[in-house]
Amino acid sequence: MARRTEDLMENPERLARPEVQALTPYQSARRIVAAAGGRGDVWLNANESAESDEYALRNGRLNRYPDAQPAEVIARYAAYAGVSPESILATRGGDEGIDLLVRTFCTGGRDAVLQFPPTYGMYSVSAETANVRVVNLTTSPENGWTPDVKALEAALEKDPSIQVVFACSPNNPTGNLLSPEVVSGLIDATRGRAILVLDEAYIEFSPENTAIDRLERAPHLVIIRTLSKAFALAGIRCGFLIGNPAVIGMIRKVIAPYPIPAPVADIAEQALSDKGIARMKTRVAATLRRREELARALAALPGVLEVSPSASNFLLVRFAESARVFTGLWDRGIILRDQSRQPTLAGAIRITVGTDEENALLLAALTELLGEY
């Protein structure tokens, strides 16, 4: 006992749960750059908006706790999404929504979540942090990274411990959409068996493909949304879960008492005004124009093997010598996101669509780099 006490005095981190000790934290864009000492003159690695709106706080009194769920923000987002306010829960970004879903519907050490890699890394990180198993059904570029509904049905039949299924549309980092037929298949496969989560963080770049209209007929469906991407508000960390009111009611029991700070609610309310939504749509249209221009220019460069079709604000590009490209751009202060370690993405780099000026700098640097090889 004395030896254990002495060991813990020197190494108190050993008191952490074993699964946390073994966990590899999610490598966010900023964390990777900070750890490696990159200088980051042009940031094209985090799928942030290239432009920003200006906001002014309208209430400087911050001595009171905020509303647990800011009523005006909820009302405005409900109107924007076309659902009832009772169907919405405001969260600290989409990431908190993912964590809440795992903690609400999964028991650590017993249950599992299922995902379709290559996909967003926080699904597995949130599950592993809660000691929840992760079942992977890897998709293939040959069929556009489309989930195999039959394989999902088989997995759910084989493993009844799967409580939550995560699917992302448009998918990060591949940029592909789930077709209406695939969404229907996912809904039917999970009905009565698991919560189906559709992550629509990038849906404003392809709004006609939302699954919002499926909610009424699919009470087990939950949709993740965020203000981080098209609304250009990554810095305030505001997202939403949208689903059946009974399911949202369960998640309300788990969320922290005051998740949305008053300044965040103030800015979110302004962003969700008629003027704010109009600005967002104008920004999206400009992003889509720049995305297509950038995709054409990249495809014409030597050493670029493929530019995958994208329904989002980023492009997945496969290079013949991706490591040299990534490092060469990094050394020039142009920060991209290397995806080559994800399944099926060898040689792939994810590039956020920047401003016209940032895209021009990227293309000039790539032209110089690829000309050297």
Side-chain angles (χ1 to χ4, degrees), residues 57-335:
L57 294 181
R58 299 170 298 182
N59 185 357
R61 298 186 62 185
L62 302 176
N63 58 308
R64 303 295 184 190
Y65 286 112
D67 292 338
Q69 289 289 296
E72 189 60 26
V73 173
I74 297 295
R76 291 190 178 191
Y77 200 85
Y80 166 69
V83 299
S84 68
E86 295 76 21
S87 298
I88 292 182
L89 185 73
T91 62
R92 289 168 287 198
D95 290 341
E96 185 183 37
I98 295 167
D99 182 69
L100 288 168
L101 286 157
V102 172
R103 292 196 291 124
T104 300
F105 294 102
C106 297
T107 298
R110 186 191 73 184
D111 292 331
V113 304
L114 185 146
Q115 63 175 358
F116 300 98
T119 194
Y120 184 43
M122 281 305 296
Y123 310 142
S124 59
V125 169
S126 290
E128 291 165 0
T129 301
N131 194 25
V132 170
R133 286 187 303 110
V134 178
V135 177
N136 292 308
L137 292 182
T138 302
T139 58
S140 168
E142 280 70 33
N143 68 345
W145 292 288
T146 299
D148 186 332
V149 173
K150 294 295 184 184
L152 172 61
E153 292 173 347
L156 291 169
E157 184 69 28
K158 178 182 178 181
D159 188 352
S161 71
I162 297 171
Q163 293 287 102
V164 179
V165 173
F166 287 102
C168 190
S169 182
N171 187 41
N172 175 16
T174 58
N176 64 293
L177 281 163
L178 300 182
S179 70
E181 294 76 20
V182 169
V183 171
S184 294
L186 296 177
I187 289 173
D188 291 342
T190 51
R191 193 182 303 275
R193 294 184 172 183
I195 296 293
L196 173 63
V197 182
L198 290 182
D199 188 342
E200 291 190 347
Y202 299 91
I203 200 63
E204 277 80 14
F205 300 99
S206 187
E208 67 277 9
N209 291 285
T210 180
I212 284 286
D213 61 347
R214 310 294 189 99
L215 287 169
E216 187 173 346
R217 300 182 300 278
H220 63 301
L221 173 62
V222 178
I223 292 173
I224 297 175
R225 292 283 189 87
T226 184
L227 300 185
S228 293
K229 309 302 181 184
F231 281 91
L233 288 173
I236 71 169
R237 310 306 299 127
C238 184
F240 302 91
L241 293 179
I242 310 173
N244 181 279
V247 171
I248 295 299
M250 288 293 104
I251 304 171
R252 284 179 186 272
K253 297 181 178 182
V254 180
I255 197 170
Y258 308 108
I260 308 300
V264 171
D266 188 353
I267 293 171
E269 184 180 325
Q270 296 174 56
L272 291 167
S273 67
D274 290 342
K275 289 183 179 179
I277 292 171
R279 287 197 303 269
M280 178 273 290
K281 291 181 178 179
T282 299
R283 187 165 48 246
V284 164
T287 300
L288 296 181
R289 171 189 61 79
R290 294 196 301 266
R291 185 190 71 196
E292 296 312 305
E293 292 173 353
L294 180 60
R296 288 193 295 270
L298 288 167
L301 291 175
V304 173
L305 303 180
E306 181 182 17
V307 179
S308 297
S310 174
S312 191
N313 68 335
F314 59 85
L315 294 166
L316 186 72
V317 184
R318 200 180 299 268
F319 292 88
E321 299 186 71
S322 63
R324 295 177 69 183
V325 168
F326 180 83
T327 302
L329 292 172
W330 178 289
D331 291 342
R332 289 164 169 79
I334 300 174
I335 311 300

